[in-house]
Amino acid sequence: MFGLRQAIKKIFWGKKQKSPNPEESPDDAIRSRFKTKYWNFKSFLSINSAILEIMSEMELALRGDHRFGMEFIRAHCTSISVSIYQLIEKINEISGRRYEKLYYALADIQYKINQILEEREKSIEGKPVLSIKEINKDSANHTGSKMANLGEIVNLTDLNVPHGFVITASAYHLFLNHGDLQKNINQQLQSVDIEDIKMLGMASSNIQKLIMQSPIHPELEGAILDGYRRLEEKTEKDVKVSMRSSALGEDSQESSFAGQYHTELNVSYNTLIHSYKKVLAGKYSLQAITYRFNKGFRDEDIVMCVGCMAMVEAVSSGVMYSKDPGDIHNNQIFINAVLGLGKSAVEGSISPDLFVASREPTIKILKKEIHVKDQGILTFSNKELHTVELPEPEKYAPAITDIQAQFLAKQAVILENHFKTPQDIEWAIEKEGLVRILQSRPLKQVRKEDNEFKDTLAIKVNNHTILNGGVAASPGVACGPAFIVNSAEEIYKFPEGAVLVTKNSLPQWTTILNRAVAVVTDRGGIAGHLATVTREFGIPALFDTLAATDRIKNGTIITVDTYARKVYEGKAEALLRESPAGGISRIKGSPVYITLKRTLKHITPLNLTDPKGDDFTPDGCQTYHDITRFCHEKAVKEMFDSGKNSRGISAGKRLIINDVPAQWWIVDLGDGLKGSMEKDTVRLANIASAPMMALWEGMTAVEWDGPPPVDTRGFISIMVESTMNRDLCASSQSSYTQNDCAIISKNFCNLSCRFGYHYSVVQTFVSDKSGENYIKFYFKGGAADHNRKFRRMKLIKDILVKYDFQVEIYEDYMNATIAAYDQFSTLKRLKALGYLTMHTRQLDMIMGNPAKTAYYKKKFLKDISLWFPQAGE
């Protein structure tokens, strides 16, 4: 471990320290040591502030809805670890290496954090290929939820699922580990700025090429081809299959991944392996990467399983919801249907027919919306897919009959009851009329507050209405400049905070949903993949307006109200003011969120709160915050003790006030003085130290009345104490007869003052960073008896406590501290300290008189109200 310490030290500091100059005088040597210690201390404070800022950024990320990925966590953990190491180096340099044990505490915490960051899903032992009949909902960790749910449905006798098999998580790991592919993918991702879409697009392209060019493990290839041959035995020779993603994490309640991955249709035996790799490569499409980032998934969390199912020659197909996705109180079933395959419906390129069915007490059709159908995707006898123009009668005919709609509604109820939550279901009807279930996943419904707002009275809006109508795919109200997107290339230009306006509700637009405040389309329905994702993200979406791209002008400010299904010109203030706050926490509860939360348990909790506690030791440091707190406490103490022990310095400049040399020595640490000055003297105008000047202002703001009148008992007390205490003898070289000294820099001051029979030390650091600011005040001595000295200290304590100082009294001396106040507040308290230092001298002589004590307390508070008006009231 210490080898690591030396290596990092060499990187950060390089050159060796210069050895002391043997010709230096004792005073020069003291000054030099203190100067070195001070600059180490200032560097220490800077590092300390950086650590606290990193902690704050990590905590804000956890509390807010900011998007962040594993790169954010790893980078911040690395930064804070290096900074903690530097902090430990500084405290050891300041203290003469008395805190070497802190390196052990750092190593222990760092090990625990690295264990979290380096966790990976273990390769799941099992077969690379499984038949759909071999799996159920408990197989999700090995097959993905999509295929696991279909395996579960196979066991329900009233429902039909196409024959098929799944290429499992074991197969995915086998593929990635063959040829070091995962390492190459990681290198591509680590160099990417996730917010830079162009850079992300290049990485996406590079990774997909890597996957397509990578060889497949012979064992895996054999297992996939064998699975296909077994499927032929159950269906027919040369059966065509669909290959769909069934990734771990896909089709969950909060993260559907709808339309984010790749699907291959009509796949033959000869293209099976190529198509498998295309589905795997789809994990790294631009839209899939951004979706994972926005939802807080780590790349390693997504294991891509692939479902292979016999193609269905569908005459009609679509998506149905067992509950209304736009109204949590509506118990009706929504069925969306198109002719042919449902690809066009889920991609949002056409508007499907809508059937609304009741479920209690009997299922019946309540409402129908039949749309014009220009084309459909059909499968012909050669098993090839074709998009065909529909003949005139079929354009206006419903995609399914009422009886078929009722039958579908019954199946929706069965699935909801079985999975015990509302379902989002893909289905297809074959030529013979057999209904096949292709997918069933939890349905994402609107928030409660959106529902409540929908039920309120309409708000009067005076803005001009641009659009009226369409389908509310996702509820909400939002305002922003319109940005029309017609091609994939235009997503790179999409600005933050704009309204996405486009012809079709294509899944590829999910790439820019993290920037959009709302979505408006010409075509598309609530069953499409884009609609599902907008609901997940809490982004208002108005689809199927038919004229959005014609009526909305690019760049104009618009307000989208999906509750009223309207788009207004300009900013509809009243509507925006009354509507519920938009947006859903997309990342809370996600794997990345959980990783950050676990990591922060070793970073931010503060266990060392009492510097006098038995656990306030290097061994007691359980977190990075503990180490930071411990180091700060010890660094300030080291500086304060050094300042007290440096009162004998006489090699500085003599302070001159009003042309009269004062008994003050000024020791400049580098930037505490300004302007031209004589060799051995300095004037007030030369002082550049803000804390020194604040203390001086407090000392001189109110003229001292002189020594208080001494009563007989007070005078006798002084005489007795003078004969008993050697430190009070004027001829002795005691701490009470040393010259006053101010060791200063621009932000720092260590002021040692002797007034009569007592002395005080004020040390302070004041900057524009509140976390660095502190004041330590030390007060000792007096000429009277113990009771009178204690009462004076009690008087000072009572006043300081009013200004938030932490004060402790021990025998005949007192310590007072305050920290982490802003610059202005800290300087005000320094002025109050300067005042008390000047005006409490010789006050112990009259502390036997309660009336006089009360008088001075009232006077001091009134005088200090110059800087704290409220305290004097």
Side-chain angles (χ1 to χ4, degrees):
M1 182 191 67
F2 284 102
L4 171 64
R5 175 171 65 81
Q6 293 300 328
I8 297 179
K9 184 175 181 179
K10 186 175 181 181
I11 292 171
F12 283 97
W13 289 282
K15 297 180 180 180
K16 294 182 179 179
Q17 296 284 340
K18 291 183 179 180
S19 58
N21 183 353
E23 297 182 359
E24 281 185 328
S25 69
D27 278 336
D28 288 337
I30 294 172
R31 290 181 63 207
S32 179
R33 285 198 299 272
F34 196 91
K35 196 169 184 177
T36 300
K37 183 173 281 193
Y38 167 73
W39 286 107
N40 277 326
F41 177 70
K42 190 169 184 181
S43 177
F44 172 95
L45 290 177
S46 179
I47 297 167
N48 186 80
S49 293
I51 290 169
L52 296 176
E53 286 174 9
I54 296 170
M55 287 184 188
S56 178
E57 288 174 8
M58 296 177 82
E59 287 182 314
L60 284 173
L62 195 69
R63 291 199 300 267
D65 190 28
H66 303 290
R67 301 185 306 274
F68 60 88
M70 284 303 297
E71 293 76 16
F72 170 88
I73 300 175
R74 290 192 182 100
H76 279 67
C77 285
T78 299
S79 295
I80 200 168
S81 294
V82 172
S83 296
I84 291 288
Y85 178 87
Q86 293 173 331
L87 197 74
I88 295 172
E89 279 287 290
K90 287 299 176 187
I91 186 59
N92 276 297
E93 289 178 9
I94 292 169
S95 67
R97 311 215 69 84
R98 284 204 295 274
Y99 302 106
E100 297 273 358
K101 279 190 173 183
L102 286 169
Y103 293 110
Y104 291 104
L106 167 62
D108 182 58
I109 297 167
Q110 198 167 34
Y111 173 79
K112 292 174 182 176
I113 291 173
N114 287 340
Q115 287 292 102
I116 296 171
L117 297 181
E118 292 171 6
E119 280 181 359
R120 294 288 186 275
E121 291 288 342
K122 295 181 179 179
S123 297
I124 304 169
E125 297 293 332
K127 296 179 181 179
V129 173
L130 290 170
S131 166
I132 194 170
K133 288 190 175 181
E134 297 180 82
I135 60 178
N136 55 39
K137 63 182 180 181
D138 297 326
S139 308
N141 286 338
H142 193 41
T143 65
S145 293
K146 182 182 293 182
M147 291 303 295
N149 287 350
L150 286 175
E152 182 77 10
I153 295 170
V154 167
N155 298 317
L156 301 178
T157 55
D158 293 335
L159 302 174
N160 292 296
V161 174
H163 293 290
F165 61 93
V166 58
I167 308 173
T168 66
S170 296
Y172 177 79
H173 290 300
L174 192 59
F175 180 81
L176 285 187
N177 294 333
H178 187 55
D180 237 5
L181 182 56
Q182 186 64 67
K183 180 180 178 181
N184 293 329
I185 291 172
N186 291 343
Q187 288 174 347
Q188 288 285 337
L189 291 175
Q190 286 167 4
S191 61
V192 171
D193 177 1
I194 198 73
E195 298 285 2
D196 188 330
I197 294 183
K198 286 187 177 180
M199 185 184 292
L200 198 59
M202 290 178 62
S204 166
S205 177
N206 291 339
I207 293 172
Q208 291 186 76
K209 285 178 184 176
L210 280 172
I211 292 172
M212 296 307 298
Q213 293 169 1
S214 293
I216 190 168
H217 195 287
E219 179 188 340
L220 176 56
E221 182 176 10
I224 294 173
L225 296 178
D226 187 56
Y228 177 84
R229 283 189 285 269
R230 290 199 302 272
L231 180 60
E232 282 184 312
E233 294 172 2
K234 296 175 182 176
T235 53
E236 60 181 344
K237 181 69 174 174
D238 297 329
V239 62
K240 296 291 184 72
V241 298
S242 65
M243 300 190 77
R244 306 178 67 188
S245 65
S246 182
L248 270 60
E250 189 177 359
D251 284 357
S252 65
Q253 179 70 48
E254 296 300 326
S255 302
S256 68
F257 283 85
Q260 301 310 299
Y261 297 134
H262 185 68
T263 295
E264 285 282 295
L265 299 177
N266 247 34
V267 178
S268 65
Y269 175 86
N270 294 331
T271 59
L272 204 62
I273 302 303
H274 180 78
S275 296
Y276 172 63
K277 290 201 285 187
K278 286 189 74 173
V279 177
L280 294 190
K283 174 185 171 180
Y284 295 100
S285 69
L286 180 59
Q287 65 198 48
I289 293 173
T290 53
Y291 179 94
R292 284 198 300 275
F293 174 68
N294 290 327
K295 296 291 286 186
F297 280 90
R298 304 174 299 182
D299 180 67
E300 55 264 37
D301 294 321
I302 306 301
V303 175
M304 184 59 76
C305 307
V306 178
C308 301
M309 301 175 69
M311 285 289 295
V312 175
E313 292 190 49
V315 293
S316 58
S317 56
V319 176
M320 60 180 171
Y321 301 135
S322 64
K323 290 279 177 67
D324 184 351
D327 189 342
I328 59 176
H329 302 304
N330 190 349
N331 209 27
Q332 296 170 346
I333 300 164
F334 284 67
I335 303 168
N336 296 271
V338 297
L339 291 175
L341 293 177
K343 186 172 183 286
S344 56
V346 295
E347 286 188 350
S349 56
I350 67 171
S351 300
D353 293 342
L354 173 64
F355 292 77
V356 180
S358 64
R359 55 194 295 156
E360 293 175 356
T362 59
I363 291 177
K364 61 181 179 179
I365 304 303
L366 302 176
K367 175 185 176 183
K368 290 188 289 187
E369 291 180 6
I370 310 302
H371 294 93
V372 178
K373 306 164 191 63
D374 295 325
Q375 57 188 21
I377 301 176
L378 302 176
T379 307
F380 289 88
S381 57
N382 61 0
K383 303 294 178 69
E384 295 299 321
L385 296 180
H386 294 276
T387 301
V388 298
E389 295 292 330
L390 296 175
E392 196 69 22
E394 292 183 29
K395 285 185 178 182
Y396 304 99
I400 57 175
T401 65
D402 287 2
I403 293 175
Q404 288 174 324
Q406 286 176 300
F407 183 79
L408 285 167
K410 288 178 183 178
Q411 299 210 321
V413 173
I414 292 171
L415 287 169
E416 180 181 303
N417 290 338
H418 181 78
F419 288 108
K420 296 181 175 57
T421 188
Q423 293 291 293
D424 171 349
I425 305 154
E426 287 188 27
W427 55 270
I429 300 178
E430 295 180 317
K431 289 180 180 179
E432 296 78 12
L434 182 67
V435 174
R436 298 278 191 181
I437 301 300
L438 307 179
Q439 176 180 291
S440 188
R441 65 187 174 201
L443 173 65
K444 178 67 177 177
Q445 293 183 282
V446 300
R447 302 176 301 168
K448 180 181 178 181
E449 52 266 41
D450 288 308
N451 236 87
E452 292 171 349
F453 181 77
K454 184 179 179 181
D455 295 334
T456 60
L457 295 174
I459 297 169
K460 184 178 180 181
V461 179
N462 296 322
N463 300 60
H464 171 68
T465 301
I466 302 174
L467 286 172
N468 189 357
V471 175
S474 178
V477 177
C479 177
F483 192 92
I484 300 174
V485 175
N486 293 312
S487 66
E489 290 72 25
E490 290 176 326
I491 65 176
Y492 300 112
K493 303 175 184 177
F494 192 85
E496 186 85 27
V499 176
L500 170 62
V501 181
T502 187
K503 290 183 179 296
N504 299 316
S505 54
L506 303 177
Q508 69 193 69
W509 304 142
T510 58
T511 302
I512 49 179
L513 284 187
N514 63 314
R515 299 182 179 189
V517 296
V519 182
V520 183
T521 72
D522 292 347
R523 294 281 185 179
I526 62 172
H529 290 320
L530 186 66
T532 299
V533 178
T534 57
R535 288 194 291 272
E536 284 181 19
F537 284 8
I539 296 174
L542 185 63
F543 290 177
D544 208 34
T545 64
L546 304 179
T549 54
D550 290 333
R551 295 186 186 176
I552 298 174
K553 302 303 179 185
N554 210 23
T556 58
I557 302 297
I558 60 173
T559 300
V560 180
D561 177 8
T562 69
Y563 302 109
R565 295 185 298 165
K566 291 182 179 182
V567 177
Y568 299 101
E569 186 176 72
K571 188 173 183 179
E573 297 281 2
L575 188 62
L576 290 164
R577 186 169 55 250
E578 296 297 328
S579 63
I584 292 173
S585 178
R586 307 167 193 171
I587 205 163
K588 189 172 183 180
S590 70
V592 168
Y593 179 92
I594 292 169
T595 299
L596 178 59
K597 190 173 183 179
R598 291 177 60 200
T599 301
L600 282 177
K601 286 183 179 179
H602 303 289
I603 295 175
T604 56
L606 182 60
N607 305 294
L608 300 188
T609 56
D610 182 9
K612 295 184 178 62
D614 293 337
D615 63 340
F616 204 86
T617 64
D619 292 336
C621 294
Q622 303 173 42
T623 66
Y624 282 164
H625 202 169
D626 286 341
I627 294 177
T628 306
R629 172 75 174 90
F630 179 87
C631 289
H632 189 275
E633 183 71 23
K634 296 304 180 184
V636 171
K637 185 177 185 301
E638 289 286 340
M639 288 299 297
F640 187 63
D641 289 345
S642 295
K644 286 199 296 182
N645 296 330
S646 299
R647 291 190 68 248
I649 296 177
S650 59
K653 291 177 178 289
R654 184 68 61 83
L655 177 65
I656 292 181
I657 305 164
N658 299 327
D659 296 325
V660 178
Q663 294 301 310
W664 287 65
W665 290 103
I666 305 296
V667 179
D668 182 24
L669 295 174
D671 56 2
L673 298 176
K674 61 184 177 180
S676 59
M677 61 197 82
E678 299 176 25
K679 181 180 178 181
D680 298 320
T681 59
V682 62
R683 296 176 182 273
L684 281 176
N686 299 127
I687 303 293
S689 173
M692 170 66 186
M693 293 308 296
L695 285 166
W696 186 259
E697 182 181 338
M699 290 178 177
T700 58
V702 179
E703 186 176 353
W704 184 44
D705 293 337
V710 183
D711 58 27
T712 304
R713 289 186 180 180
F715 179 74
I716 294 173
S717 173
I718 295 170
M719 296 299 295
V720 172
E721 186 71 10
S722 298
T723 61
M724 299 292 292
N725 192 337
R726 288 175 56 87
D727 279 344
L728 299 181
C729 178
S731 62
S732 70
Q733 293 299 311
S734 72
S735 56
Y736 297 100
T737 59
Q738 303 290 325
N739 289 322
D740 297 328
C741 177
I743 305 170
I744 63 172
S745 77
K746 180 180 179 181
N747 304 109
F748 177 83
C749 179
N750 186 290
L751 178 65
S752 300
C753 298
R754 175 181 56 79
F755 288 115
Y757 292 120
H758 78 268
Y759 79 94
S760 62
V761 179
V762 179
Q763 181 173 285
T764 179
F765 189 94
V766 188
S767 71
D768 56 1
K769 295 180 179 178
S770 300
E772 297 180 351
N773 297 340
Y774 75 90
I775 303 171
K776 287 187 77 73
F777 175 60
Y778 179 83
F779 184 94
K780 179 178 175 62
D785 59 70
H786 174 75
N787 287 335
R788 285 176 167 81
K789 287 189 289 187
F790 179 81
R791 287 170 184 168
R792 175 170 60 176
M793 288 186 185
K794 180 67 167 55
L795 170 62
I796 297 172
K797 176 181 178 178
D798 290 345
I799 295 172
L800 290 179
V801 165
K802 284 184 174 292
Y803 306 117
D804 308 321
F805 280 83
Q806 300 293 315
V807 184
E808 295 175 322
I809 298 175
Y810 308 92
E811 296 296 330
D812 67 338
Y813 67 93
M814 176 176 65
N815 280 327
T817 60
I818 194 168
Y821 275 60
D822 62 76
Q823 185 174 20
F824 178 71
S825 300
T826 306
L827 290 174
K828 285 201 304 182
R829 283 158 176 79
L830 283 174
K831 293 172 185 177
L833 264 184
Y835 171 89
L836 289 173
T837 300
M838 174 65 71
H839 289 268
T840 58
R841 51 183 169 163
Q842 301 183 27
L843 203 63
D844 54 337
M845 294 184 294
I846 54 93
M847 284 291 104
N849 187 326
K852 288 184 178 179
T853 301
Y855 164 79
Y856 278 106
K857 183 175 181 179
K858 183 177 181 181
K859 176 187 184 323
F860 292 163
L861 287 173
K862 181 179 179 181
D863 289 346
I864 292 172
S865 69
L866 177 68
W867 306 292
F868 299 89
Q870 69 279 10
E873 293 174 359

